[in-house]
Structure formats: structure tokens, C-alpha cells
Amino acid sequence: MTVKGTCICPKPGFQLSLELASPGTVATPDVLTLNLVERAPGGTTIEVETKTEVEEKFQIQDKVERVEIRNLNITVPITEA
């Protein structure tokens, strides 16, 4: 499954990724639980809110019905593209 979205970052150059919140542990089998990881740019850049894309692929079981981004307190249903 591919999880993708857009975030607003405080300045250009941020790198975003998604990672499993609890690798190896499945507390709720119908939820894929992730964390958004932000890497701030180095050096001096102007402070301009910037749309930043994030996209990661995950292996899931058929039971998974929604994705939770734990550190942002966001839960969304899985849809087919």
C-alpha cells in the first residue's frame, strides 16, 4: 500500500518520511500506525510556508482499514486509487 500526502512546512527544504510507529508490534490489526518524521534543512533559508510531499510504501494485511499518523493525531480510511 502507498501512503501519501502533503504537509505545510515552515520553510523550504524540509524532508518528510513516514515510518512504522511500533515496528514488529500490531496492537490493532485493522490500523496501520505510522509517525511522520521531519528533517529540517541545514543552513539559512527564508521562513515561507511550503507545501511538502510525503510518500511511502508499506506491506499490509487485508484486515487493515485505516491509517493512523500517531504523532499528528490523524486517522484516515484506506481508499483505492
Side-chain angles (χ1 to χ4, degrees):
M1 174 180 69
T2 301
V3 179
K4 65 181 184 175
T6 304
C7 298
I8 302 295
C9 294
K11 55 186 173 181
F14 267 78
Q15 293 180 344
L16 303 176
S17 62
L18 294 165
E19 62 183 31
L20 294 172
S22 302
T25 304
V26 181
T28 310
D30 63 330
V31 180
L32 174 63
T33 307
L34 306 173
N35 281 322
L36 178 71
V37 178
E38 301 174 326
R39 288 175 204 75
T44 304
T45 60
I46 58 172
E47 299 264 337
V48 176
E49 287 187 345
T50 305
K51 288 184 179 180
T52 306
E53 302 292 322
V54 61
E55 181 174 334
E56 301 289 344
K57 294 185 185 296
F58 298 92
Q59 293 290 330
I60 64 168
Q61 296 181 353
D62 292 338
K63 298 176 187 178
V64 177
E65 298 176 356
R66 55 191 190 278
V67 175
E68 174 188 349
I69 312 295
R70 182 174 285 168
N71 59 338
L72 297 179
N73 198 27
I74 296 172
T75 302
V76 293
I78 292 176
T79 60
E80 291 188 35

